[in-house]
């Protein structure tokens, strides 16, 4: 027999919603804000982002925060169940704020500054993980079942919308002063931390205190190793385009896989497991997380592909300098964000009254259709059609996220909401990191097939010496991809400066102009785009089927009656 949940104050629930939405927004913005502003930050600390010696710094600056949040959210969700969700959430906001202040004081000293940036970003990710792991559970505690869809819709829209907002904020601030990218967090984080400690409180019913060290360690090692393998796999290896077959990557994958197998064994036998695997017997929880993972990979891949498409091809062809493209790419992606922001809260509100499955399934079907529509566009597209398809994609994602979060959180017993929230955040964050590996790989395969030959031919036509043209054309495609991704002038970076200056002025103007590199990239990119967006469309269809299957599962009321399925956590 379970205890009834404490009566919820009407004012308190709105306070929880506003504070956790601020926390989720701040944590999500920090996951993407450096994607656009990173060139300005690296220039500020005196490092060249595309120097081969700095590629590791570049990659870990981008994904270190993501990996920290992906790895830790399940463990921190469980700690919230044990020690208090508000307590863990508040601690997370405090750590996040301290790291934000430390980042604002980033020194300008080359390698030391880069290492400082990576380490403090990971610490900030620890705070972000505590926020993400416990905010959804706090909302589920505060709101009755018939209002959770709307509340979770607002919160999840802040979390995922913040990823898109981070691109725009990073571009705007870096254009003024790169340090503002870090300072922007400080006032909001300070207010959020003080507000949370002052107002948030824990429910009296919690599970007993016992940390599952074996589960935490094996899960952490497993995810870190696999996500690090994905990171290193994107780098060149010998004469290969990527390093997926290198000993380092294979060893990391092996360590990660064995650690996760050990994690499953440990959790099946632990008295107080970090993640009670019996939760996966609940259809709404199991299929909801599968749908969330599939949609997260596709959504993260879309963000990456759009940045390359706009910055490397479309914007230069339409008169924007390469240096301007990071900011303008974020602006031209606004239809995606608008569709998402409109659909998310509305879907949550309506799903409370009409049921969430039709909205979530319909959203994934709309999203899948939008990926197919985007594939039909030429590399130099009409913006009206592009914006319409982006809006549809955002609309589909917005329709999905709130019902998906509600399905997961309503499916589990009240005392397990922390670990359920943590698992949902894990699938979201792991999906984002995996999307970088998956879509980078698909794009690099497309570029490697045709780009070297077309680039060499184009360089020779502009009087670049054969030896230099051959060398530049056969650089790993990741170099061309990163130049487009980071908003550099590709030929200005890839061709040695002394060679470039020795060429006829007309050749220099052509090579560093707005049409040469986009002309080279258009066909190889479109080839990779078809592979990538086909994969995204399939992932959205998988999410739709998983959502429908999860919706046929047990309701929260039925689960409450059948509480004994989780006897170890009573």
């Amino acid at each position: 027999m379970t205890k009834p949940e404490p009566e919820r104050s009407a004012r308190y629930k709105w306070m929880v919603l506003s504070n956790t939405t601020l926390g989720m927004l701040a944590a999500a913005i920090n996951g993407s804000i450096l994607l656009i502003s990173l060139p300005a930050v690296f220039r500020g600390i005196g490092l060249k982002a595309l120097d081969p010696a700095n590629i590791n710094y570049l990659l870990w600056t981008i994904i270190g925060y993501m990996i920290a949040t992906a790895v830790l959210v399940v463990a921190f969700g469980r700690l919230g169940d044990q020690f208090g969700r508000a307590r863990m959430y508040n601690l997370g906001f405090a750590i996040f704020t301290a790291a934000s202040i430390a980042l604002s004081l980033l020194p300008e000293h080359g390698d030391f500054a880069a290492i400082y940036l990576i380490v403090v970003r990971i610490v900030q990710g620890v705070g972000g993980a505590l926020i993400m792991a416990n905010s959804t559970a706090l909302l589920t505690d505060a709101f009755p079942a018939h209002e959770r869809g709307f509340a979770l819709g607002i919160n999840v829209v802040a979390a995922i919308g913040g990823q898109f907002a981070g691109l725009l904020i990073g571009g705007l601030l870096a254009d003024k002063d790169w340090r503002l990218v870090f300072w922007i967090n400080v006032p909001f984080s300070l207010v959020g931390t003080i507000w949370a400690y002052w107002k948030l409180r824990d429910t009296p019913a919690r599970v007993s205190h016992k940390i599952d060290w074996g589960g935490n360690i094996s899960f952490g090692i497993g995810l870190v190793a696999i996500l690090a393998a994905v990171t290193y796999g994107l780098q060149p290896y010998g004469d290969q385009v990527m390093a997926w077959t290198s000993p380092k990557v294979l060893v990391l994958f092996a360590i990660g896989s064995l650690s996760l197998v050990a994690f499953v064994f440990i959790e099946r036998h632990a008295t107080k497991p970090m993640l009670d695997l019996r939760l996966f017997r609940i259809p709404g929880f199991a299929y909801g997380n599968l749908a969330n993972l599939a949609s997260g990979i596709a959504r993260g891949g879309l963000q990456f592909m759009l940045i390359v498409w706009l910055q490397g091809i479309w914007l230069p062809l339409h008169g924007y300098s390469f240096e301007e493209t990071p900011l303008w790419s974020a602006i031209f992606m606004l239809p995606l964000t608008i569709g998402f922001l409109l659909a998310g809260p509305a879907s949550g509100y309506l799903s409370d009254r009409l049921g969430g499955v039709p909205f979530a399934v319909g959203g994934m079907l709309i999203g899948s259709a939008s990926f197919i529509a985007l594939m039909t566009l030429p590399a130099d597209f009409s913006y009206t059609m592009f914006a319409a398809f982006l809006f549809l994609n955002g609309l589909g994602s917005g329709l999905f996220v709130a019902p998906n979060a509600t399905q997961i959180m309503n499916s589990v017993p009240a005392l397990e909401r922390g670990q359920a929230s943590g698992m949902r955040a894990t699938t979201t964050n792991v999906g984002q990191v995996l999307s970088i590996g998956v879509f980078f790989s698909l794009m690099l395969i497309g570029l490697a097939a045709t780009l070297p030959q077309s680039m060499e031919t184009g360089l020779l036509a502009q009087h670049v010496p054969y030896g230099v043209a051959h060398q530049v054309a056969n650089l790993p495609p990741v170099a061309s991809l990163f130049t487009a991704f980071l908003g550099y002038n590709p030929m200005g970076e890839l061709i040695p400066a002394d060679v470039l200056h020795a060429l006829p002025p007309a050749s220099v103007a052509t090579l560093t102009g707005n049409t040469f590199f986009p002309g080279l990239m258009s066909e190889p990119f479109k080839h990779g785009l078809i592979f990538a967006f086909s994969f995204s469309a399939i992932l959205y269809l998988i999410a739709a089927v998983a959502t429908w299957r999860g919706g046929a599962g047990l309701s929260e009321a039925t689960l409450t009656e059948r509480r004994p399925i989780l006897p170890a956590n009573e």
Side-chain angles (χ1 to χ4, degrees):
M1 189 78 179
T2 57
K3 298 178 182 179
E5 296 182 44
E7 184 179 351
R8 302 171 178 87
S9 160
R11 292 179 60 188
Y12 178 73
K13 67 184 180 183
W14 296 114
M15 192 280 300
V16 172
L17 176 60
S18 52
N19 189 278
T20 56
T21 298
L22 175 63
M24 290 295 286
L25 185 64
I29 286 174
N30 270 274
S32 63
I33 196 168
L34 286 182
L35 291 178
I36 295 292
S37 58
L38 199 56
V41 173
F42 267 58
R43 283 194 296 271
I45 63 177
L47 289 178
K48 188 175 180 180
L50 294 176
D51 189 316
N54 297 330
I55 290 295
N56 270 334
Y57 292 153
L58 179 70
L59 286 171
W60 280 102
T61 300
I62 292 173
I63 70 165
Y65 178 89
M66 299 179 190
I67 288 179
T69 54
V71 168
L72 295 172
V73 281
V74 172
F76 288 166
R78 188 56 163 166
L79 290 179
D81 288 338
Q82 295 176 323
F83 297 97
R85 292 158 192 161
R87 180 185 296 180
M88 292 296 104
Y89 175 88
N90 295 347
L91 176 62
F93 231 144
I95 293 172
F96 187 89
T97 301
S100 297
I101 294 171
L103 284 170
S104 304
L105 303 175
L106 179 68
E108 300 180 20
H109 297 295
D111 289 344
F112 173 77
I115 294 169
Y116 178 99
L117 173 62
I118 292 167
V119 170
V120 179
R121 283 270 294 169
I122 290 173
V123 173
Q124 190 180 44
V126 173
L130 281 161
I131 291 171
M132 293 178 182
N134 291 284
S135 62
T136 307
L138 283 169
L139 279 175
T140 310
D141 287 343
F143 280 83
H146 67 276
E147 294 180 342
R148 282 178 195 154
F150 174 74
L152 291 173
I154 296 290
N155 196 253
V156 175
V157 163
I160 298 177
Q163 296 173 10
F164 296 108
L167 300 176
L168 182 60
I169 293 170
L172 288 170
L173 295 180
D175 198 46
K176 301 295 182 185
D177 184 342
W178 64 272
R179 286 192 180 276
L180 293 176
V181 172
F182 303 116
W183 277 112
I184 188 67
N185 281 313
V186 174
F188 297 103
S189 300
L190 281 171
V191 169
T193 301
I194 295 169
W195 185 16
Y197 271 102
W198 182 29
K199 289 292 187 180
L200 291 182
R201 60 179 184 270
D202 281 309
T203 56
R206 296 203 299 266
V207 297
S208 59
H209 298 184
K210 186 174 181 180
I211 297 176
D212 173 19
W213 291 109
N216 278 276
I217 292 170
S218 58
F219 185 78
I221 291 174
L223 269 190
V224 167
I226 287 176
L227 296 179
V230 170
T231 303
Y232 290 120
L234 297 173
Q235 301 180 38
Y237 174 65
D239 59 353
Q240 299 177 33
V241 174
M242 290 173 285
W244 294 115
T245 58
S246 71
K248 182 178 185 177
V249 170
L250 293 175
V251 167
L252 284 170
F253 271 126
I255 292 172
S257 301
L258 290 173
S259 295
L260 292 180
V261 170
F263 167 74
V264 172
F265 178 82
I266 291 168
E267 298 307 276
R268 287 175 64 88
H269 295 86
T271 305
K272 300 287 184 182
M274 180 191 87
L275 175 63
D276 196 320
L277 298 179
R278 287 168 291 185
L279 287 174
F280 287 98
R281 298 177 188 173
I282 304 170
F285 180 81
Y287 285 112
N289 276 296
L290 173 61
N292 192 38
L293 177 63
S295 66
I297 295 173
R299 192 167 51 245
L302 172 68
Q303 189 179 68
F304 164 70
M305 298 298 290
L306 292 178
I307 290 173
V308 174
W309 197 351
L310 288 168
Q311 293 181 193
I313 299 173
W314 193 83
L315 285 168
L317 288 177
H318 288 259
Y320 295 86
S321 70
F322 286 99
E323 291 72 22
E324 291 177 307
T325 58
L327 171 60
W328 283 101
S329 68
I331 292 172
F332 278 104
M333 284 193 288
L334 280 176
L336 178 70
T337 308
I338 292 169
F340 187 85
L341 294 177
L342 290 176
S347 175
Y349 177 82
L350 293 172
S351 66
D352 284 335
R353 286 148 182 79
L354 305 174
V357 172
F359 292 97
V361 172
M364 289 295 92
L365 294 178
I366 292 171
S368 183
S370 71
F371 279 117
I372 296 170
L374 285 166
M375 285 191 288
T376 67
L377 295 177
D380 187 11
F381 49 77
S382 161
Y383 183 71
T384 302
M385 295 300 295
F386 180 77
F389 295 154
L390 284 193
F391 179 81
L392 282 177
N393 191 281
L395 195 74
S397 296
L399 288 172
F400 169 80
V401 291
N404 172 258
T406 306
Q407 182 183 70
I408 293 170
M409 296 305 297
N410 277 356
S411 70
V412 300
L415 292 179
E416 316 301 334
R417 286 174 184 158
Q419 57 180 318
S421 174
M423 190 65 212
R424 192 192 68 80
T426 294
T427 54
T428 299
N429 295 331
V430 167
Q432 189 175 12
V433 178
L434 288 179
S435 72
I436 295 175
V438 170
F439 287 90
F440 252 106
S441 298
L442 291 171
M443 185 49 57
L444 289 173
I445 291 169
L447 293 179
T450 57
L451 183 61
Q453 183 59 49
S454 60
M455 183 179 289
E456 184 171 331
T457 302
L459 292 173
L460 290 173
Q462 297 302 321
H463 311 292
V464 176
Y466 173 78
V468 176
H470 183 75
Q471 179 185 8
V472 171
N474 286 280
L475 287 172
V478 70
S480 299
L481 205 58
F482 269 131
T483 56
F485 188 71
L486 295 172
Y488 289 102
N489 187 317
M491 293 298 103
E493 294 291 330
L494 299 177
I495 300 174
D498 57 335
V499 174
L500 195 63
H501 293 154
L503 295 176
S507 295
V508 174
T510 298
L511 290 170
T512 58
N514 285 8
T515 59
F516 182 80
F517 183 76
L520 294 178
M521 281 282 288
S522 294
E523 284 305 314
F525 176 82
K526 192 65 194 301
H527 182 68
L529 182 82
I530 290 172
F531 278 111
F533 281 178
S534 297
F535 184 57
S536 294
I538 292 170
L539 286 173
Y540 267 29
L541 291 176
I542 290 172
V545 172
T547 299
W548 178 76
R549 291 290 304 274
L554 299 173
S555 67
E556 182 188 34
T558 307
L559 285 168
T560 302
E561 294 168 4
R562 293 183 58 186
R563 185 75 177 97
I565 69 169
L566 298 170
N569 291 324
E570 291 287 357

